[in-house]
Amino acid sequence: MKKLFAIILTATLMTSQLAISAETIYENIKREQITKGVLYEEIDTYKTEGWQRTSVVKIDLKDEDLEVKVLSPAKGSSSLATIKQMAETHSTKAAVNGDFFNFSSGETNMLGMMVSGGEMISTPAKDGLASFALTEDNSAIFDYFTFSGTLYAENTSLTQLSSVELYQINKMPLTTGAITMITSAWGDTVNIPIGNYAMICEPYEENKYKMIGFSWGAEPVAIPEGGAVFTANYEINGFLNLNFAIGDVIRVETTLSPDVPAIKESIGGNTLIVKNGAVCNFTNNISGKNPRTALGVSADGNTLYFVAVQGRITDCPGMTQEGLAQFMIALGCDAAINLDGGGSTTMVTENIFTGAQEVKNDITSLRQVSNAIGVISHLAPLEVAAVGEIQLSSNTVVCEDNVDVWYVFRDQNYNRITGPNVLIQTSDSQAVISGNNIVFKTPGNHTVSVTYQNIVAETQVRVLGDIFSISISPEKVSATDKNQTFLVTAYDRNGHSAPIPASLVTFSHSDALSMSGNTLNKTAATGTVTASYKNLTANAVVNGETYLRSNDIMSEDHFYGTIPGGQKITVAATANAPQKFIGLLQIKKYLQTLQNAGDIYAPSQLFDNWNLVENCIVANHYSERTIENSKIVTLSIKNASSIRLTDSTAWSKIKNLCQSATEKNIVFILDTNITKLDANEKTVWNYYMNMLTERGKNVFVVSPGIKTSAEPSGGVFYLFLGAPGQSSVNSVFYDLNQAKPLRFTFLGDEIKYTFQS
């Protein structure tokens, strides 16, 4: 539950990548046209201070087929439900959480105003909280509303006082003399506090109710359908119990200020954050960076924005309230309000493929809340398809692997339509198509298409062919692990990789081990698991030696080899064992043997501040160097496996390099295994590596690894150098047989590499 008292008071899938400010390293915007007039955008931005992830829904307020509606839980406004449940109940196209709320004794109430279908569900808060309202003509209002109400005793034989103030509607009853009105929108029953009198009424005429019963409190009271219960402490305020008998009529008059005519929907928040296109003074401020929810409207009043900001996760803390205001302005908002955030922040949209409601922002669990706001489309599907979209379960596979095909066809209003005559095809003439599944038989790049009513949706799949190496993961299993499932990956000579289905891999193991398919049964025995695919093998050690020996390179890609007369550099294998003096002397001797191979790059923090040999360059910081038509870049990620946390300027340099490098070949040398890079930063890394390959660059990434191997992925050649580990766990000597340095040679546009013995 959320309590505003904790607030600190102060005065299609279409993808585009943008850079919107000097500090923005990466921005990715994914767009989905959910239905006519409703566009979803998922905005991922990486800046020098970390991630900002935001979900935005843009709604055309001038579209007469759309209805913006405030949502309540199915059991009434005094109960709670998740956003997904409310969205399912109302069949929304998109929805986001709404007001702050209190929860006590099995009942709840939102703190601010709520109007749904023109009915006042909850009166505005008494302490200056802001509200969003939508009129009958879909004009959006952002303001601080106040409420006043009066109850009149009419045609009663007991009249002692003709009128009295109505304090609130559909809030938790107070134990003071203030009168609370509870309508059937609250739910089936209302809990009446001890010391309160409850007057139970059925609907009579417009704004009038007829008394049919009463209660002296301390018990739940049933609320008549369409009726109301009026309650107050009878010792402080006797208006109800002294003025009315069964059959008498009570009249209700209410007013809102400002007087906005014909409000059909309204929801409360805590403060306006944008007014007249600028950050405004906050009446309340929830400090710090947090998940946030907001509503906003464009200056022309035509577009309503639902916004959910992700936060409280690693490297993605969320936004401050002022940051949220700035974001809303950047979207194009002229006015905006801050809604309940934190763990309540949730956005759901209708999945364009399945029609199911799905949560769009990352949350640990679906919190139950008091209300939400959503958008509903009243357009019925047409029979004629206008657009189609297709997705594959994987776009890179090996031969004999199968791919699931997902597709949707929609009419001109983006409503889903289905029919029996859907044709799935592929340019792989040998492929086997069964239902929505394709088994590919021929290496190469293939088109997959789906056709319905002459509308064609298509995409591409890459089937690896010239495979030169495979790997197994994990490469090491300890006795403390549970049953371990192994995954095998294939690498081709063009810099691409794909998982190999376990059904296509032959697994063998030492006699002391036992396996079920590709799963190793938990054991304390020592041995080896071998994965075989075609003529290639990869090994995993089970309860084995501390340092896994390097595997031989089974075959080579087309960059493997040397260039006679080319300039050389050598990347030394790294030392991940403890710093022991004798071992370091041994490594120094090892490095000296490489000096005839040009400059030596040593990608290990163990070499920091050690003047080991001449021409030894320690790859523990960002640097650039050009040799022939190749760029050599050193980079460190040793601080929390993060480039950003290691060097706050490095990402800006990488961005500039990838956008503007003129060299044909780019070689990155890292001091830490690239696979350990933070998952969020790996997304940015892959984006810039893809930028380089799309610009026609040959890209090589060299980093430490458990073993010496070449593992291309996404057109990038990832080269791993095995560590010269200790001969045994307690030894001061290194086993240099595991250390295979990497040698590059350059001549003009050409580049070659070899692993040295």
Side-chain angles (χ1 to χ4, degrees):
M1 65 182 176
K2 294 297 295 270
K3 291 190 176 181
L4 198 60
F5 306 120
I7 292 175
I8 300 175
L9 299 180
T10 65
T12 102
L13 290 184
M14 181 169 55
T15 305
S16 61
Q17 284 84 19
L18 313 173
I20 60 174
S21 70
E23 65 176 357
T24 299
I25 303 302
Y26 160 91
E27 181 164 283
N28 182 57
I29 304 177
K30 297 179 181 178
R31 296 186 176 96
E32 289 179 349
Q33 191 72 47
I34 299 174
T35 191
K36 183 173 74 75
V38 181
L39 176 68
Y40 171 75
E41 291 186 344
E42 187 173 285
I43 306 172
D44 280 2
T45 306
Y46 191 63
K47 299 187 176 184
T48 52
E49 65 268 23
W51 280 96
Q52 177 179 293
R53 289 196 167 102
T54 312
S55 298
V56 178
V57 171
K58 299 179 180 180
I59 301 162
D60 183 358
L61 289 177
K62 302 308 176 186
D63 191 324
E64 296 179 353
D65 297 310
L66 297 177
E67 177 188 1
V68 175
K69 186 174 181 60
V70 176
L71 315 177
S72 290
K75 294 182 179 180
S77 65
S78 65
S79 61
L80 299 174
T82 67
I83 307 301
K84 188 175 181 181
Q85 288 170 335
M86 287 186 269
E88 290 170 343
T89 298
H90 295 275
S91 299
T92 62
K93 296 297 181 179
V96 72
N97 66 289
D99 201 355
F100 297 82
F101 58 96
N102 282 326
F103 186 80
S104 176
S105 303
E107 293 181 317
T108 186
N109 66 256
M110 66 286 301
L111 297 188
M113 182 166 77
M114 176 174 167
V115 177
S116 183
E119 178 186 357
M120 177 66 75
I121 305 298
S122 176
T123 47
K126 297 291 185 178
D127 47 1
L129 301 181
S131 298
F132 160 75
L134 198 64
T135 64
E136 289 290 346
D137 65 354
N138 269 4
S139 295
I141 310 295
F142 293 80
D143 214 326
Y144 294 89
F145 289 88
T146 59
F147 164 83
S148 62
T150 305
L151 300 177
Y152 294 91
E154 295 190 347
N155 303 321
T156 70
S157 58
L158 302 176
T159 299
Q160 297 185 17
L161 185 65
S162 61
S163 65
V164 72
E165 178 189 10
L166 172 62
Y167 186 76
Q168 60 184 12
I169 298 175
N170 287 337
K171 309 286 190 185
M172 289 186 184
L174 303 174
T175 57
T176 65
I179 297 179
T180 299
M181 176 183 179
I182 303 293
T183 72
S184 56
W186 178 264
D188 294 333
T189 63
V190 58
N191 294 325
I192 304 300
I194 297 174
N196 273 31
Y197 174 83
M199 174 180 166
I200 307 168
C201 300
E202 66 181 6
Y204 182 60
E205 296 175 352
E206 185 177 3
N207 298 325
K208 293 182 181 181
Y209 300 85
K210 181 186 289 186
M211 181 176 177
I212 61 172
F214 62 90
S215 171
W216 290 99
E219 61 181 1
V221 170
I223 307 168
E225 181 64 31
V229 174
F230 300 87
T231 182
N233 185 294
Y234 56 82
E235 292 184 349
I236 302 174
N237 185 346
F239 176 78
L240 298 175
N241 55 294
L242 297 178
N243 281 274
F244 299 91
I246 301 297
D248 287 343
V249 174
I250 186 170
R251 178 164 59 91
V252 181
E253 287 189 0
T254 62
T255 59
L256 283 176
S257 180
D259 184 14
V260 177
I263 293 178
K264 65 175 180 179
E265 304 291 329
S266 180
I267 199 165
N270 76 325
T271 181
L272 299 185
I273 55 176
V274 177
K275 186 175 182 179
N276 297 325
V279 179
C280 58
N281 293 329
F282 302 154
T283 55
N284 298 282
N285 187 14
I286 304 176
S287 62
K289 291 186 176 182
N290 293 288
R292 301 278 179 175
T293 306
L295 298 178
V297 70
S298 59
D300 60 10
N302 291 341
T303 305
L304 181 66
Y305 298 86
F306 294 173
V307 173
V309 179
Q310 191 166 293
R312 296 181 184 172
I313 60 176
T314 302
D315 212 24
C316 185
M319 288 186 188
T320 63
Q321 199 161 275
E322 183 171 357
L324 176 63
Q326 296 286 3
F327 179 82
M328 300 299 285
I329 293 169
L331 280 179
C333 292
D334 184 68
I337 184 174
N338 182 55
L339 302 180
D340 188 13
S344 296
T345 291
T346 309
M347 178 178 284
V348 300
T349 66
E350 182 183 81
N351 184 289
I352 64 172
F353 287 92
T354 66
Q357 298 289 341
E358 63 178 2
V359 178
K360 305 303 288 189
N361 56 313
D362 289 341
I363 54 177
T364 55
S365 63
L366 277 170
R367 173 181 284 181
Q368 292 188 321
V369 296
S370 64
N371 64 8
I373 185 168
V375 59
I376 300 166
S377 174
H378 295 292
L379 280 171
L382 303 175
E383 295 182 357
V384 179
V387 295
E389 297 183 52
I390 183 173
Q391 285 186 355
L392 304 180
S393 56
S394 177
N395 288 87
T396 307
V397 298
V398 297
C399 283
E400 301 296 335
D401 196 358
N402 65 86
V403 170
D404 291 324
V405 182
W406 302 310
Y407 59 86
V408 62
F409 289 92
R410 302 195 283 175
D411 63 22
Q412 64 185 23
N413 300 316
Y414 294 93
N415 289 315
R416 291 186 318 281
I417 56 177
T418 57
N421 300 316
V422 176
L423 177 64
I424 298 178
Q425 295 176 295
T426 176
S427 58
D428 181 357
S429 60
Q430 302 300 313
V432 177
I433 301 175
S434 176
N436 287 13
N437 185 268
I438 303 176
V439 178
F440 290 94
K441 301 289 188 176
T442 309
N445 295 327
H446 300 290
T447 299
V448 178
S449 65
V450 182
T451 305
Y452 177 68
Q453 294 183 354
N454 297 320
I455 300 298
V456 179
E458 64 180 33
T459 188
Q460 300 294 314
V461 64
R462 182 191 303 274
V463 182
L464 301 191
D466 202 1
I467 297 172
F468 75 92
S469 180
I470 66 172
S471 68
I472 187 171
S473 178
E475 295 178 314
K476 182 180 179 182
V477 179
S478 68
T480 58
D481 291 339
K482 299 178 180 178
N483 290 356
Q484 181 65 60
T485 298
F486 292 97
L487 304 177
V488 181
T489 303
Y491 306 95
D492 75 2
R493 289 186 171 87
N494 296 311
H496 298 283
S497 63
I500 309 174
S503 60
L504 302 179
V505 178
T506 300
F507 289 93
S508 58
H509 54 82
S510 303
D511 292 341
L513 306 178
S514 66
M515 295 185 69
S516 301
N518 63 328
T519 300
L520 174 70
N521 300 320
K522 183 178 178 180
T523 179
T526 299
T528 302
V529 172
T530 299
S532 300
Y533 175 71
K534 298 185 182 299
N535 63 334
L536 304 173
T537 61
N539 299 313
V541 170
V542 180
N543 302 320
E545 57 187 2
T546 303
Y547 294 95
L548 185 67
R549 290 184 176 275
S550 305
N551 289 350
D552 291 333
I553 304 300
M554 303 300 298
S555 184
E556 299 85 26
D557 59 73
H558 61 272
F559 287 107
Y560 198 84
T562 60
I563 305 172
Q567 292 194 56
K568 301 175 183 178
I569 67 167
T570 300
V571 187
T574 60
N576 295 323
Q579 296 187 43
K580 298 187 178 181
F581 182 72
I582 296 178
L584 287 170
L585 292 179
Q586 192 181 11
I587 289 175
K588 179 177 179 179
K589 184 176 180 180
Y590 157 72
L591 292 175
Q592 288 172 336
T593 65
L594 305 177
Q595 284 189 288
N596 63 348
D599 289 340
I600 301 169
Y601 283 81
S604 172
Q605 59 264 40
L606 285 183
F607 301 121
D608 292 2
N609 303 318
W610 281 76
N611 185 17
L612 293 174
V613 293
E614 294 180 3
N615 302 324
C616 185
I617 302 168
V618 181
N620 63 353
H621 63 286
Y622 188 93
S623 70
E624 294 181 14
R625 175 189 181 189
T626 299
I627 302 178
E628 296 287 329
N629 199 17
S630 298
K631 178 78 75 175
I632 314 300
V633 182
T634 63
L635 181 65
S636 177
I637 58 173
K638 62 186 177 184
N639 188 351
S641 298
S642 167
I643 295 172
R644 180 180 69 86
L645 295 178
T646 303
D647 180 355
S648 61
T649 68
W651 270 120
S652 296
K653 296 171 183 175
I654 294 170
K655 172 185 171 183
N656 182 66
L657 169 74
C658 295
Q659 291 176 339
S660 60
T662 59
E663 293 81 2
K664 177 65 176 177
N665 310 300
I666 311 294
V667 179
F668 291 92
I669 303 174
L670 283 67
D671 66 351
T672 304
N673 191 320
I674 185 63
T675 63
K676 298 184 181 300
L677 185 64
D678 172 81
N680 291 321
E681 290 193 48
K682 190 64 181 292
T683 298
V684 184
W685 177 265
N686 289 338
Y687 166 70
Y688 281 112
M689 296 303 102
N690 184 61
M691 178 184 292
L692 287 172
T693 59
E694 287 187 347
R695 293 183 60 211
K697 309 297 182 183
N698 300 316
V699 184
F700 303 83
V701 179
V702 184
S703 71
I706 296 177
K707 65 180 183 180
T708 300
S709 62
E711 300 179 9
S713 178
V716 177
F717 290 82
Y718 288 92
L719 308 174
F720 295 93
L721 298 179
Q726 293 164 270
S727 300
S728 61
V729 174
N730 297 314
S731 174
V732 296
F733 293 99
Y734 286 105
D735 180 1
L736 296 179
N737 290 324
Q738 298 185 50
K740 291 191 175 183
L742 179 65
R743 181 169 300 165
F744 284 96
T745 53
F746 311 92
L747 184 62
D749 288 350
E750 286 191 89
I751 182 172
K752 295 283 187 179
Y753 74 89
T754 57
F755 290 103
Q756 303 295 297
S757 299

